[in-house]
Amino acid sequence: MNDNDDRLMRCFASALPNATGDEIRTAKLDAMAGWDSLRGAVLLAVLEEEFGVQIDLPELLELETFDAVKRYLLQQRA
Amino acid sequence: MNLIDALERLNGPIAENARPLRVFLACGFTPLHLETFLAAHLRNLYPAYRVELHSGLFGDLVGNLERLRPEEHDALAVVIEWPDLDSRLGLRTLGGWEVEKLPDIVNSVNHSLERLMRALQGLPLALPTCICLPTLPLPPLFYSGTQSTSVFELTLRRNLASFAEAISIGRQVSVVSGQRVDENSPLAKRFDLRTEITQGFPYKTFHASVIGELLAELICRREPKKGLITDLDDTLWAGILGEVGVEGVHWHLEEHAQLHGLYQQFLASLASAGILIAAASKNDASLVDQAFERDDLLLLKTSVFPIEAHWSPKSESVQRILKKWNVLADSVVFVDDSPMEVAEVQGTFPEMECLLFPKEDYPAFLGLLNHLRYRFAKTVISEEDSLRLQSIRDSVAFREPAGDERNSLDDFLQQAEGRLTFRLGKPVEDARAFELINKTNQFNLNGKRYDEAAWAKFLKDSRTCLVTVSYEDKFGKLGRIAVLIGRLADEKFVVESWVMSCRAFSRRIEFHCIQYLFEKFPAAEIVFELQATSRNGPLMEFLQQLMDGPIEANPQLSRSSFLRKAPKMPHHVEEVPADE
């Protein structure tokens, strides 16, 4: 696991404390334990703070998965 | 603290038996990250508590306060932003900014402030409340441009300030310092239009953290320090007294010594608020005496006690000062311009805060004053604050009776013409009992502390009683110096908390307290909910005098045993109603 993975996992785990590591890596965002619009707003803010990017909630929801979010962040920072 | 740290702090484990700390966050916007930061900062300050934060409906600050059930909360944090007073002062509604509407906006804000005032006044006095006035910029709605302040804006700000002044007088309401907000949160890091429009949350996470921290600090006030020990040469004044003489030391602007004058002015201000000030200086004592006679000194000699001027190590001076004050090292701040002296005192008293006086560093000097103001912060100045120094001078005389009096404490106390006043009852607005319980260490039955919420609950509990004790004698007034909390149960009086100010030691006031309980309550025995702490040796020694054998858990003292062992009690005693 590289540094970006760790950081992203930390973001997901802090915003979705009820979701397991496996769940975060494999499940769709809106299927993760504890997911709701409030958690979405929290995840959004944490990602923005940690990675210095700006994302809108609908955009994040379209990404659907942890891996897709990771790819998106890499593109944004490229 | 950033958001991820705050979330991880909140996601961390909590002890199963942790007591709840229930805080209502009243705001008109979505509390979102402000709620997170406030809870996380509270968790840092109250690690033994389970912080529970509640908030109300979006867009209805006043309604949230009107619907609040105060009995369900331990503290209240109110965060006001301009749109809460009139939605046209925000950017989520489109009510119009035409010139003819501006007077109506001002009127509407006034109306909201009046409603807010009524809602807050309807809450119990005992509910600890802190308020944060608007911290976000007004939108560009005034025709006078952004380079000048519109008369409408001036009116809005004046009315807001009047509201804050009115609500903070006579209530347990603390208003977040606007200056601290300005220092900690630059204007550009406050408002987030995107999240305001998309999520109804107007704060950037940085600003939310700052506001959360300031609110948490007000909800959980730290105990102020009790005394400051200062060096003299190149600290209280510029120059070395032994080298330049009494007229050669300076503290005025024209002598390029303004920082020392400001420091004197600051210490005089602390002294007037009841903070103990002492001096520790490697110096010739007679010269120091003469210097303190200079009539242009801003810190009066009478405000400084004791003055330790000799050539012994500073740590010895500090030790003697602590003994005379009868306070512990962790309640005291030491200030000296010499890094070596600061290190020597710090090495001897690791728990004392030892600070360097930055005599040539202007920003650091201002930082020192701000830091000291923070360390010695008080919410109210009581009558006892003005009496503290004199009573300590007097208590030194009590502990060190001179000449023939040394052999007869009975006679000495008798001649003191002491008068004790007992008050039985729970006046809600009396902050002194709360303060004494929470800051007394040495004569303290068990070290039990009350936060504001627990105190409010205690005041409402009809099963318990509160006794406060005041003392004065021919040397002067000590004011309220002891607090006792207890309950009557099965012909026993159970003492749950008992504290007495160290200023009142050596006067047998503690014996009078027990005598009062036996006389006032139909109890054959008094049970003490004793808990040894690292600091309550004086209380343990006192109880040991009255007990047969070693002290055990929850020791009991019978009336007959007390009468057998109590010494002569020299003071005149009277009882007055609690609200007198």
Side-chain angles (χ1 to χ4, degrees):
Chain A
M1 194 185 286
N2 63 32
D3 181 49
N4 276 340
D5 265 22
D6 285 347
R7 288 167 65 201
L8 190 56
M9 178 56 86
R10 189 177 167 219
C11 291
F12 272 76
S14 65
L16 295 156
N18 295 328
T20 64
D22 278 351
E23 198 177 358
I24 288 170
R25 291 195 167 280
T26 55
K28 287 188 175 179
L29 286 175
D30 57 5
M32 290 182 191
W35 177 268
D36 58 19
S37 60
L38 179 67
R39 290 289 104 194
V42 172
L43 177 61
L44 205 65
V46 170
L47 291 172
E48 289 183 353
E49 191 179 70
E50 182 65 19
F51 292 94
V53 295
Q54 189 171 303
I55 323 169
D56 287 328
L57 192 53
E59 208 173 1
L60 178 69
L61 287 172
E62 276 177 25
L63 292 172
E64 287 197 327
T65 65
F66 178 89
D67 281 338
V69 173
K70 188 168 73 176
R71 282 194 298 276
Y72 175 86
L73 290 173
L74 284 173
Q75 279 170 10
Q76 291 290 307
R77 303 180 77 209
Chain B
M1 186 186 284
N2 59 27
L3 185 57
I4 199 163
D5 295 331
L7 289 163
E8 287 178 343
R9 185 81 185 87
L10 294 177
N11 294 338
I14 308 171
E16 271 185 24
N17 56 353
R19 288 169 54 192
L21 173 70
R22 303 161 309 167
V23 178
F24 189 85
L25 171 60
C27 59
F29 51 84
T30 308
L32 202 58
H33 312 311
L34 178 61
E35 194 169 21
T36 303
F37 281 114
L38 175 56
H41 284 294
L42 282 171
R43 184 106 186 255
N44 278 347
L45 294 169
Y46 281 109
Y49 283 72
R50 186 177 69 254
V51 177
E52 294 174 7
L53 232 63
H54 304 276
S55 52
L57 299 177
F58 177 81
D60 192 10
L61 170 66
V62 183
N64 289 332
L65 288 171
E66 288 169 342
R67 288 185 294 272
L68 178 71
R69 293 183 177 174
E71 67 280 7
E72 294 177 3
H73 300 93
D74 302 314
L76 168 64
V78 183
V79 180
I80 308 170
E81 287 300 344
W82 291 111
D84 299 318
L85 305 175
D86 186 305
S87 62
R88 290 169 289 187
L89 296 177
L91 297 168
R92 284 182 64 88
T93 58
L94 302 170
W97 292 344
E98 292 90 335
V99 171
E100 61 271 21
K101 288 185 177 169
L102 298 181
D104 185 58
I105 291 176
V106 172
N107 285 336
S108 160
V109 167
N110 285 347
H111 179 71
S112 297
L113 287 173
E114 283 167 16
R115 215 179 133 207
L116 199 53
M117 176 81 82
R118 277 196 301 276
L120 287 165
Q121 284 174 335
L123 295 171
L125 283 172
L127 180 69
T129 301
C130 51
I131 297 180
C132 187
L133 300 177
T135 56
L136 297 179
L138 283 159
L141 75 160
F142 302 116
Y143 56 81
S144 54
T146 52
Q147 67 276 37
S148 69
T149 312
S150 150
V151 69
F152 294 105
E153 178 177 345
L154 290 169
T155 308
L156 289 176
R157 293 193 186 279
R158 183 196 64 199
N159 294 345
L160 187 71
S162 299
F163 157 80
E165 180 196 22
I167 200 64
S168 56
I169 292 174
R171 297 183 64 85
Q172 277 201 47
V173 171
S174 304
V175 178
V176 171
S177 160
Q179 193 166 310
R180 273 287 298 280
V181 176
D182 291 345
E183 284 167 7
N184 296 358
S185 182
L187 204 56
K189 287 188 162 186
R190 296 187 187 179
F191 182 55
D192 191 328
L193 177 59
R194 183 174 63 98
T195 58
E196 162 74 325
I197 288 175
T198 58
Q199 298 168 21
F201 181 70
Y203 291 173
K204 290 186 174 174
T205 52
F206 176 84
H207 188 56
S209 178
V210 170
I211 299 300
E213 183 173 13
L214 291 174
L215 289 169
E217 273 183 30
L218 288 185
I219 291 170
C220 173
R221 284 185 174 277
R222 67 159 66 200
E223 195 177 310
K225 300 279 184 186
K226 294 175 180 168
L228 184 147
I229 301 171
T230 183
D231 174 40
L232 299 178
D233 289 348
D234 278 340
T235 301
L236 193 70
W237 49 61
I240 308 296
L241 191 58
E243 293 175 4
V244 298
V246 171
E247 296 305 321
V249 291
H250 302 299
W251 49 86
H252 291 298
L253 185 68
E254 57 271 24
E255 295 148 341
H256 311 292
Q258 179 74 357
L259 296 192
H260 302 276
L262 288 168
Y263 181 60
Q264 284 187 25
Q265 177 175 274
F266 185 82
L267 294 192
S269 166
L270 289 184
S272 71
I275 307 299
L276 303 170
I277 307 291
S281 174
K282 286 184 176 168
N283 235 317
D284 182 293
S286 63
L287 272 180
V288 169
D289 267 351
Q290 290 171 50
F292 268 104
E293 294 303 325
R294 273 183 56 169
D295 57 11
D296 57 341
L297 206 68
L298 284 92
L299 177 67
L300 297 178
K301 187 180 182 183
T302 50
S303 300
V304 187
F305 178 79
I307 298 172
E308 290 281 336
H310 44 69
W311 302 101
S312 302
K314 283 279 170 86
S315 57
E316 287 183 24
S317 297
V318 169
Q319 183 66 64
R320 277 195 283 272
I321 292 166
L322 293 180
K323 192 176 175 197
K324 284 184 177 164
W325 281 353
N326 211 359
V327 301
L328 298 168
D330 65 358
S331 302
V332 172
V333 176
F334 174 79
V335 180
D336 199 304
D337 69 301
S338 158
M340 194 184 80
E341 302 289 19
V342 168
E344 195 260 333
V345 173
Q346 188 75 82
T348 309
F349 302 98
E351 62 279 44
M352 185 178 291
E353 186 168 5
C354 299
L355 302 171
L356 191 68
F357 184 86
K359 56 189 173 188
E360 288 167 355
D361 183 340
Y362 290 79
F365 172 79
L366 194 55
L368 173 71
L369 295 196
N370 279 320
H371 178 73
L372 290 174
R373 194 54 95 180
Y374 174 67
R375 281 286 187 254
F376 290 100
K378 292 184 170 191
T379 47
V380 288
I381 303 297
S382 64
E383 187 191 359
E384 282 72 17
D385 289 319
S386 63
L387 300 172
R388 185 164 295 119
L389 183 60
Q390 188 55 45
S391 65
I392 281 177
R393 285 181 198 273
D394 296 342
S395 68
V396 170
F398 270 87
R399 288 201 299 270
E400 298 166 3
D404 295 340
E405 290 168 336
R406 192 184 297 275
N407 297 323
S408 175
L409 185 59
D410 281 347
D411 288 349
F412 185 67
L413 290 173
Q414 200 68 49
Q415 287 163 17
E417 299 167 16
R419 290 181 299 283
L420 277 168
T421 305
F422 286 85
R423 288 176 174 79
L424 177 63
K426 298 177 176 177
V428 172
E429 292 178 50
D430 179 7
R432 174 62 178 162
F434 177 68
E435 180 193 43
L436 258 182
I437 285 271
N438 280 322
K439 75 175 192 183
T440 307
N441 295 309
Q442 298 180 79
F443 196 97
N444 188 325
L445 186 63
N446 45 30
K448 186 175 175 183
R449 303 294 197 208
Y450 288 76
D451 57 39
E452 284 168 330
W455 187 252
K457 260 186 202 164
F458 157 71
L459 291 177
K460 281 190 235 163
D461 184 354
S462 59
R463 293 166 301 175
T464 55
C465 64
L466 171 69
V467 179
T468 53
V469 188
S470 305
Y471 176 83
E472 65 179 305
D473 57 33
K474 70 178 183 183
F475 298 104
K477 284 170 82 169
L478 295 195
R480 274 164 293 174
I481 39 77
V483 176
L484 209 147
I485 289 171
R487 64 184 189 277
L488 199 58
D490 301 329
E491 296 190 355
K492 291 179 181 178
F493 189 87
V494 181
V495 182
E496 296 178 5
S497 290
W498 185 15
V499 299
M500 187 169 76
S501 165
C502 53
R503 295 181 293 129
F505 285 6
S506 310
R507 289 170 168 85
R508 296 186 185 159
I509 293 171
E510 55 275 36
F511 292 98
H512 275 284
C513 289
I514 292 183
Q515 185 185 42
Y516 173 81
L517 293 181
F518 276 128
E519 287 177 356
K520 187 73 191 170
F521 298 98
E525 286 187 326
I526 295 176
V527 181
F528 298 92
E529 292 189 343
L530 176 70
Q531 179 72 50
T533 71
S534 59
R535 299 172 170 194
N536 68 353
L539 181 284
M540 301 289 282
E541 281 172 28
F542 163 69
L543 280 185
Q544 185 64 71
Q545 292 176 54
L546 297 173
M547 299 294 163
D548 299 314
I551 300 182
E552 295 174 351
N554 293 341
Q556 303 192 11
L557 176 67
S558 68
R559 188 185 291 262
S560 59
S561 181
F562 173 68
L563 292 175
R564 200 171 65 248
K565 296 194 174 186
K568 195 168 163 184
M569 279 172 274
H571 307 306
H572 172 74
V573 173
E574 62 181 43
E575 185 180 1
V576 298
D579 52 359
E580 201 171 285

